[in-house]
Amino acid sequence: MSDLPPYPPLDPSNYDLIVVGTGVSESVSAAAASSSGSSVLHLDPNPFYGSHFAALSLPDLTSFLHSNSVSPPPSSPPIPPSNSHELISVDLVHRSLYSSVEISSFDSEILEEHSRRFNVDLCGPRVVFCADESINLMLKSGANNYVEFKSIEASFVGDSSGELRNVPDSRAAIFKSKSLTLLEKNLLMKFFKLVQSQLAKSDDDTTTVKISEEDMESPFVDFLTKMRLPPNIKSIILYAIAMLDYDQDNMETCRHLLKTKEGIDRLALYIKSMGRFSNALGALIYPIYGQGELPQAFCRRAAVKGCVYVLRMPITALLLDKETGGYKGVRLASGQEIFSQKLILDPCINVGLESLSSLTDQQNETLRVLVPKAMINKEKIARGICVIRGSVKSDVSNALIVYPPKSLFPEQLTAIRVLQLGSGLAVCPADMHVLYFSTLCKNDDQGIKALLSAMGNLIRLPVPESDSVVENVTCEAKPLLLWRALYVQELVKGEFGGVISSMPSPDENLNYKETVESAVKLYEQIMGSEELFKEETSLENTTEENEGGVEIDEN
Amino acid sequence: MHGRPRKASKPEEEAASAAKAVKLRSLQSQFMTYHHDKIYTKEAIELSTKLLEINPEAYTAWNYRKLAVEDSLSRIGPDPSLVKPILDEELRVVENALKQNFKSYGAWHHRKWVLSKGHSSTGNELKLLDKFQKLDSRNFHAWNYRRFVVELTNRSEQDELQYTDDMINNNFSNYSAWHNRSVLLSSLLANRADGFVPEKKIPDEYEIVHQAIFTDPDDQSGWFYHLWLLDQTVNVESPLLTSSWPSHGSSVILSGAGCFNGSPSNFTTFCSETGSFPLILYFDQAVGGVSSLTVTLDSELKGNENLVWEPISNKSSQVSCVWVARLNFSSQPCGSKDYKVKVRLGNSPGIVSSRGFNFSAPYEFVFTAHVHDPAKDSQERIVSWTDGFELWDAQSKDLNSLVTLGQLNAGIDLKWRQAAIDSEIECFRLLADSKIGKLTLARLLMASEAMMSDAAVKGVHYEEILQLYNDLMALDSSHHHYYKDEHSVAFLHKVTSSSESLSRYLFRYRDMNNLVCLRLNKLSLSRIASVNKLLFVQMLDLSHNELHSTEGLEAMQLLSCLNLSHNRIRSFSALDSLRHVKQLKVLDVSHNHIGKHSVDTTRYLCSSPLSNSDLSQDDVRRQNPGLVTKYWDAYFVLRDLNLKQLDIAGNEIAGDEFNSFVLQVVPKLVWLNGQKPGN
């Protein structure tokens, strides 16, 4: 980036808020702050929008993963705090989110030819639920005007046999399902009806309680058992509808045992998503041109409201008041110093430990959220991207596949999710598909092993690898692998630190529910419980007008 | 389209609708002037267009447009290039009207009318329908119109069947789609279209409807289709003879008036004043065309060459399940001579079911008649229902010859039907926790019993069926009467399922020549069934039940004594079917509800019978027109019976006035309410 032409100095150099990084949470905050009338400077060190949520071409993705998988050496020796100032400057370091990055191309020629026709997500597999908070926020902010969606046509549950069975997630799907017995259909529909009546109940809140308080507090998996649901259906509900990660039947390895209450909430989101847009085929939609469109839409919204954007502009240091230790501003890579009341940072931006030692307690307190936490016993998420020729299921282009825990191999501790996307979403050339894989893991090896197992289940490798878990490489029906990326991403939570806040990394979830909810919460803390996008007061109008605006093409 | 709550209208909306009404009224009055004056100018037609766009329900306007179209067509001649624009304009108006209200009968009808003129593209219509049916997949107008259009095109029924598949897959809660499916399948199966054989298709259909029923048992559309399928499985198209009297291989003892004092061990003794006995044919469905041409008789009994066959039916139609001919035996020389009678039917066509299917399987049966001298017994003793009964000690072979049925199930493709019902039973045991599941299971079990031919397992399901109906009565009180009736039917099927079970209810009545008496008292029966297996019964005790009517008993042509006391008969009209039972001498309807309910619903079904000039005036009507009007229902029933003994005590209607009226109508009555009249 050093060969880029120098930026002209920014003017003004004083803002209410500086946001660094253009991920979803940062962009929502920038848009919300701008629309509430604050002056906002939005910076990103990268030449593209989206940060860790960006959709990139294959070469860009490759270089992004590589450059973010090793901590770059400090760019320059720390500049000694200049005494001419009343300010002290603290150097920032870049934390790498990714590890075990391995990218292999099996047909470079073809990929080279089409390389710019790919829009590949960094944070995949990821979709939007129609009733998801992110859609609400887009409608509320008007960001929906900049994005178009299409439906994920089908959702499947897979296992080691290689067979993909439709997820019976609606009345019609249960009716059509070929894999459920009559009694299973009956029990499953009964259960859905119970959930629906439970949801209807909370709306008029006078009718009798359908699910007892005791059941609501009990583990969801036990409740499903109580409802006489057989194991295969329980597994569909837990992992392919409620989208849980951990094996709910294994107390030792399950880090999050879901309560019935939470389970019902998750099903509620799914059920509401199914019916929300009449032209959507199911609960899940995906933005055309990739997930990068989402943060970008919020950025555009922010720009319309006066937010200033500068890409390719890292910040190198924070400026603190020498006396009080309070935050004053940032130093850009261009050397310019910019001041603001508040600061929101990308999760990769940390304070170097060596810098901390020389600071006062006051100053340390200001920088609290930027101090790297010890990463003991923290789960990570293993992600994989495959470009394939053909489709994993004939007649279906955009589909979600879930491998529940233990479905692929006995030691599989967490669910593996796979999302296949086709050229209809403008993410790849016409005869190919992009497949995203993800699973939670304790360590890199475990995660990569699980992903490879799922890949082997769906895809044919051009060259059988000696150490591969893949067994059925001879299966001719499977689509051919052209390109593959494997990487493990750290999960960093967002943190509110008064004046300086740090935003979360992409989470392990399939949707943006938690990301957006935490962004909203953080924003409210930062800006003082100010309601997001309150300016768009005629909410009812906007929603109605825009309901069709979340365009979901039938084709 | 469905399940949307109605919103209360706001004041401004009401004002708008009032303004619309004013505009509509003025349009309408202008339109009516044009219509009455038969003005079909461009301006007048446009006015009707405007009217219909606002109010597609204006039927007169649609009719006016038809007249207008006819008018202009008559002026321009048959040139298609001139005709088409006129018709296209009509289609456009209809389409606009349908956009306004797509349940407008008038609009859909007008469209059919235009289409039937020819000239219009049916392909366009199907496209339009696809659009409408996407908007509201259950709209039966659209489905009706679809059938109409498809008839005009050469679109195959298979394609249409596929269309119902698609619609059902989309949302199976769609009566219209299921219904269309049954229509299409009936036709495809009847025409034996390739691959459409019932033994293959019906089980496939069961498989499909299971998916709907099990997914959502609360949705009725699938259950309706299931009921239709069950009907297709159980009902055999061509009619069958289920029983006869006398039955095959049986012997009857015939004697003239009075009673025959012969050996009681021989069972069927029939006494007749007229010297004839009934030959009863009982079919599984209503048939017509039973005559001496279609039923041939090889008989040693003389004088029965041209038998008159009569349908026994309450409706004065020429179709009935039960047909009776009276065979004369009085011209035979007396003495213990046996006469063989052979009855053959189905050899020549002519017996046709009401649905148009021929009785096709030839069938014959033989019985023996012994003609005896009449005994002198002019004593008109009162028949008591309390004593004089002895449990009948008949040999089971005698009984068997009574209840063994003739043609049932012979030569029918029963195998797939039984298999289908068996797998249905297995399937619906899984859903037996719901009301409709229980009811369906009960129906299936009944169907299974009806198809069983193996005597060893016959009857195994009845206990379960009765229990299911008992459960249903407890669970679902709003349909209690229906379940009660079904329970009675099942119970009577059980009683008649074997000679062993039947014999428990069979007695002989000592005082009257050891008449065979069936005592089905105190069983809380609310409906009569299985009569086809009870044709031999001469004395029937149905007292202490919950019967409302005697419907079904008309087939029991040998019945001479009937006890209906302590039931729920509400009027004499409910006894109407007994008018066919010419042999009936003793009738006890005491302790019922006759006359208790001032409003007799059956009256509304009759169009003032007394004003019917066909009915001959008899003495009673001439002498006592007031009482006849008051007790007309009793009059019509009793007049046609030849009762000797009648008990009506314990009914609201009973009293001196009514008693004397009864004696006028039935002068031959010997016992009224246990007393000799005049004493």
Side-chain angles (χ1 to χ4, degrees), chain A residues 171 176 185-186 189 193, chain B residues 211 214-219:
Chain A
R171 198 163 171 268
K176 276 188 279 187
K185 290 184 176 201
N186 187 246
M189 190 64 208
K193 281 188 168 182
Chain B
Q211 311 306 316
F214 275 79
T215 301
D216 192 354
D218 297 337
D219 187 87

Side-chain angles (χ1 to χ4, degrees), chain B residues 562 564 575 578 584-589 643 645-647:
Chain B
L562 175 63
L564 286 168
L575 306 175
L578 296 180
L584 193 66
K585 298 280 182 293
V586 176
L587 175 64
D588 187 347
V589 287
L643 293 179
Q645 178 180 335
L646 175 67
D647 281 87

Side-chain angles (χ1 to χ4, degrees), chain A residues 112-123:
Chain A
E112 208 126 303
E113 188 190 328
H114 295 291
S115 73
R116 294 285 148 187
R117 292 173 66 187
F118 286 96
N119 284 302
V120 180
D121 295 337
L122 274 167
C123 63

Side-chain angles (χ1 to χ4, degrees), chain B residues 25-41 44-45 47-48 51 60 64:
Chain B
R25 262 195 289 276
S26 83
L27 267 178
Q28 205 136 9
S29 66
Q30 181 58 44
F31 160 75
M32 287 312 276
T33 329
Y34 286 140
H35 185 31
H36 286 141
D37 299 344
K38 298 191 167 58
I39 295 169
Y40 304 122
T41 59
I45 293 173
L47 186 90
S48 75
L51 176 63
T60 317
Y64 166 80

